[in-house]
Amino acid sequence: MSDDNSVRQPDRLPEYQVYIGLGANLANPVMQLQNAIAALHQLADSKVVAVSGFYGSRPMGPQDQPDYVNAVARLNTRLTPLALLDALQQIERQQGRQRKAERWGPRSIDLDILLYANHTITSERLTVPHYGLTQREFVLYPLADIAPALILPCGTPLQALLQRVPLNGLEKLTETCSG
Ligand code: ROI
C-alpha cells in the first residue's frame, strides 16, 4: 500500500531566528560558556550563526556570590520553543547545573531563550521574550553586539533600552564571533 502524501505533516518546521542568553558564575565561568556554545553547535535542526563577546557582570540578586560571565548567541532553528527549552536544560544538566531552592543563587551555567523570532509565548514552562530581557545590562549589551538594529516583539528598539539601562560595571572580556 502506498503512503498518502496528502495527510502527512510537513517534514520540517520553518526556520526561526532565536537568541539564547548564557550566564555562569561557578566552576570556571568562561569555560562553562565555551562548553555550552560547543553544545549549541551540536543541537539538532539548529545552526549557531553568531555569538556575542563574553562580558563580566556584577551579580543581580544576592551579592554574596561571584561575578558572572554573560554572552548571547543567535541560532537559526527548526526546533519548537519547548523542544529548544528541553535541549537547553539538557545542556545545563550535562554541565552540572543543580537547581537549588535559593531563587537567584550562583550557577555553573544558565541558558535562557531570550527571543524566539517575533513570538510572544506565555506558558507554564516558558515566557518569551524572557522576563528580564528589558532590564538586564548583561543581556542587552551582549545582544547589541550581534543584533544592534533589533526591534523587540513589543515594538521597542533595542537601542532605546540601551539608553535606559546603565552598564552597572559590565565589562567586555572577549570579542564577538560570527559564523
Ligand atoms: N546576574 C548576572 N550578572 N548575570 C546572570 O546571568 C545572572 N543570572 C541570574 C541571576 C541570579 C538573576 N543573576 C545574574 O539567574
Side-chain angles (χ1 to χ4, degrees), residues 23-140:
N25 73 339
L26 291 179
N28 193 342
V30 168
M31 195 189 72
Q32 295 290 343
L33 260 62
Q34 286 168 338
N35 289 346
I37 290 162
L40 291 176
H41 277 281
Q42 301 301 317
L43 267 191
D45 299 320
S46 307
K47 184 170 167 43
V48 177
V49 288
V51 180
S52 75
F54 286 8
Y55 286 78
S57 65
R58 296 195 182 132
M60 180 189 169
Q63 295 298 293
D64 59 340
Q65 56 178 320
D67 284 351
Y68 279 77
V69 177
N70 285 105
V72 171
R74 179 164 73 222
L75 264 60
N76 291 337
T77 190
R78 295 180 193 277
L79 296 175
T80 63
L82 285 180
L84 179 60
L85 179 65
D86 284 339
L88 298 182
Q89 290 184 345
Q90 193 184 341
I91 297 171
E92 288 178 343
R93 282 193 300 273
Q94 277 164 357
Q95 292 191 213
R97 165 81 182 269
Q98 292 175 357
R99 293 190 180 267
K100 301 252 173 72
E102 189 190 4
R103 185 168 164 239
W104 276 359
R107 61 233 19 238
S108 57
I109 189 70
D110 201 5
L111 298 173
D112 292 326
I113 302 176
L114 302 172
L115 293 164
Y116 187 100
N118 228 12
H119 296 184
T120 302
I121 303 165
T122 312
S123 72
E124 204 181 311
R125 289 188 64 203
L126 192 58
T127 302
V128 178
H130 188 272
Y131 68 94
L133 169 65
T134 59
Q135 297 110 41
R136 297 182 174 184
E137 73 284 355
F138 55 84
V139 173
L140 294 173

Side-chain angles (χ1 to χ4, degrees), residues 19-21 50-55 70-74 114-115 133-134 136-152 156-165 167 170 172 174-178:
Y19 292 90
I20 309 295
V51 180
S52 75
F54 286 8
Y55 286 78
N70 285 105
V72 171
R74 179 164 73 222
L114 302 172
L115 293 164
L133 169 65
T134 59
R136 297 182 174 184
E137 73 284 355
F138 55 84
V139 173
L140 294 173
Y141 287 87
L143 188 55
D145 268 358
I146 56 173
L150 187 79
I151 313 279
L152 298 190
T156 304
L158 176 59
Q159 292 299 329
L161 297 171
L162 291 169
Q163 306 271 312
R164 273 186 242 150
V165 176
L167 283 166
L170 191 75
K172 195 165 192 177
T174 69
E175 276 314 314
T176 305
C177 159
S178 291

